[in-house]
Amino acid sequence: MKKILGFLGFVLIAGGLSGLVHEWFDGFRLFGFLRHLAPDGYELYASIVYVVVGVAVSLYADSLKESPSE
């Protein structure tokens, strides 16, 4: 579970940063699938939300304890 949440956090952070770079410099679209989740006209705000949620998920994943089987 910790690894899955860590990966999800990474995807959200990277996708959000990619969206911010795309909005600010009008280029570079690496994680294009995240743009389909944002309503038209709110791509900048959605990218900021992706980064914030990604950081929150990553911090939560780091707070989980490792199970003995991992």
Side-chain angles (χ1 to χ4, degrees), residues 14-51:
L17 291 175
S18 171
L20 289 173
V21 169
H22 176 73
E23 290 297 320
W24 289 332
F25 300 113
D26 199 26
F28 186 72
R29 181 57 91 169
L30 181 63
F31 287 86
F33 64 92
L34 289 177
R35 108 183 91 151
H36 297 292
L37 299 176
D40 288 336
Y42 293 97
E43 291 87 4
L44 179 66
Y45 302 114
S47 296
I48 293 169
V49 169
Y50 295 151
V51 171

Side-chain angles (χ1 to χ4, degrees), residues 6-16 31 33-34:
F7 178 73
L8 178 65
F10 168 75
V11 169
L12 286 172
I13 292 170
F31 287 86
F33 64 92
L34 289 177

